[in-house]
């Protein structure tokens, strides 16, 4: 498993070294490209993925989890990049300033149902809003921290690329405050073995969670947003840029955060 660190740590190498600031489209989340979350080489990542895909290692430790559904199967990403809340989200630091519950219609707008980035086009295959945070997660520690952090909603969307070659999961967690959101970002690091959010199954969608996958989590005030992508079937990607681009494509629902920030600014 790839080691992840808090992305405000100094001196870490860029996790996604082939990208430069000029490569980003306006509005893309910088955390995905400049997380500085793990100082590892691509060869090390591929080595991990080979073990995952071939079932090597001799025992269950270190193997990729089985494909997950809403049945308690323990799936988590191979590569994980976290980003703690930034100062620009200060007005969303407490849910008391943003008390209205999130709705699926607010998040999965028409623009978020068919999304594109570079060569990728994804369609929303299914979505679900749960008010039972324990029911759509696994892991005793994660579930305990979600309860402590005042989790009231987890919204999930499942995406499939137009050529069926890639699949993705978009997730948002509604918590009572920013400190709790930062803690959940830490918990979601697979190295903690705290647990993860269950992928949403959707009709006609390939199984998700087996093989190589990459997840990117960021705290936005009292929210945590996760994008989690892989090739259909879990094959190792040709480069990590492939995972970045797929993730940026399915990141469109995160736009709801900016609307919430405007309302918290008093522009209601």
């Amino acid at each position: 498993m790839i080691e992840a660190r808090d992305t405000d740590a100094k001196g870490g190498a860029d996790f996604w070294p082939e990208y430069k600031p000029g490569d980003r489209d306006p509005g893309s989340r910088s955390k995905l490209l400049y997380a500085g979350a793990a100082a590892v080489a691509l060869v090390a990542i591929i080595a991990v993925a080979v073990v995952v895909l071939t079932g090597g290692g001799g025992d269950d430790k270190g193997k990729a989890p089985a494909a997950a559904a809403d049945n308690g199967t323990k799936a988590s990403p191979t590569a994980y990049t976290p980003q703690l809340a930034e100062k620009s989200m200060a007005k969303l630091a407490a849910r008391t300033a943003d008390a209205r519950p999130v709705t699926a219609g607010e998040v999965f707008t028409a623009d978020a149902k068919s999304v594109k980035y570079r060569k990728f086009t994804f369609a929303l295959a299914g979505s679900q809003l749960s008010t039972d945070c324990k029911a759509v997660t696994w892991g005793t520690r994660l579930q305990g921290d979600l309860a402590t952090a005042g989790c009231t909603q987890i919204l999930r969307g499942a995406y499939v690329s137009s050529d069926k070659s890639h699949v993705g999961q978009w997730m948002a967690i509604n918590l009572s405050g920013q400190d709790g959101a930062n803690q959940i970002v830490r918990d979601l690091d697979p190295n903690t073995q705290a647990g993860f959010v269950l992928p949403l199954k959707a009709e006609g969608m390939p199984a998700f969670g087996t093989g190589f996958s990459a997840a990117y989590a960021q705290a936005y005030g009292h929210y945590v947003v996760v994008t989690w992508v892989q090739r259909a079937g879990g094959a190792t990607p040709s480069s990590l840029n492939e995972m970045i681009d797929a993730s940026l494509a399915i990141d469109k629902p995160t736009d709801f955060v900016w609307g919430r920030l405007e309302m918290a600014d008093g522009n209601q």
Side-chain angles (χ1 to χ4, degrees):
M1 187 64 63
I2 298 167
E3 180 181 1
R5 309 186 214 136
D6 290 347
T7 56
D8 56 355
K10 304 298 182 184
D14 284 348
F15 189 71
W16 313 113
E18 295 181 39
Y19 274 81
K20 304 297 180 186
D23 291 334
R24 287 194 296 118
D25 286 351
S28 295
R29 285 188 295 169
S30 60
K31 73 157 188 354
L32 298 177
L33 308 183
Y34 311 105
V40 295
L42 178 59
V43 64
I45 297 168
I46 293 177
V48 171
V50 168
V51 172
V52 165
L53 294 173
T54 60
D59 57 26
D60 289 339
K61 186 176 181 180
K63 290 185 181 179
D70 289 355
N71 59 6
T73 304
K74 297 180 179 180
S76 57
T78 312
Y80 177 74
T81 300
Q83 176 72 43
L84 302 185
E86 298 176 346
K87 292 181 180 178
S88 60
M89 291 288 132
K91 291 185 180 296
L92 283 180
R95 192 164 55 205
T96 52
D98 176 41
R100 180 173 58 84
V102 176
T103 67
E106 169 191 6
V107 173
F108 295 115
T109 62
D111 287 344
K113 291 179 179 178
S114 180
V115 296
K116 296 181 180 182
Y117 185 77
R118 294 190 173 174
K119 70 176 184 179
F120 287 104
T121 300
F122 282 86
L124 183 68
S127 63
Q128 183 190 66
L129 176 60
S130 177
T131 57
D132 185 343
C133 299
K134 185 175 182 179
V136 295
T137 58
W138 68 267
T140 301
R141 174 176 160 186
L142 173 63
Q143 291 171 345
D145 284 349
L146 286 169
T148 299
C151 181
T152 56
Q153 296 178 297
I154 295 181
L155 179 58
R156 299 175 295 164
Y159 283 89
V160 181
S161 67
S162 57
D163 61 1
K164 312 296 183 185
S165 64
H166 291 74
V167 287
Q169 300 279 329
W170 182 93
M171 306 160 170
I173 306 171
N174 188 348
L175 304 158
S176 63
Q178 182 170 289
D179 289 345
N182 284 337
Q183 182 58 47
I184 296 306
V185 168
R186 296 186 183 99
D187 284 353
L188 292 173
D189 179 352
N191 285 315
T192 68
Q193 299 182 3
F196 215 80
V197 182
L198 294 169
L200 177 66
K201 289 189 70 178
E203 185 175 354
M205 182 176 180
F208 190 97
T210 298
F212 189 100
S213 64
Y216 315 86
Q218 180 161 1
Y220 292 93
H222 69 95
Y223 298 104
V224 173
V225 172
V226 181
T227 54
W228 186 9
V229 294
Q230 69 174 148
R231 285 187 172 184
T236 306
S238 57
S239 76
L240 291 176
N241 293 333
E242 178 183 329
M243 297 290 96
I244 296 170
D245 288 354
S247 178
L248 287 171
I250 69 164
D251 189 50
K252 183 62 176 176
T254 308
D255 285 353
F256 90 93
V257 170
W258 311 115
R260 292 282 171 151
L261 184 62
E262 287 182 4
M263 289 188 286
D265 277 333
N267 299 325
Q268 300 186 37

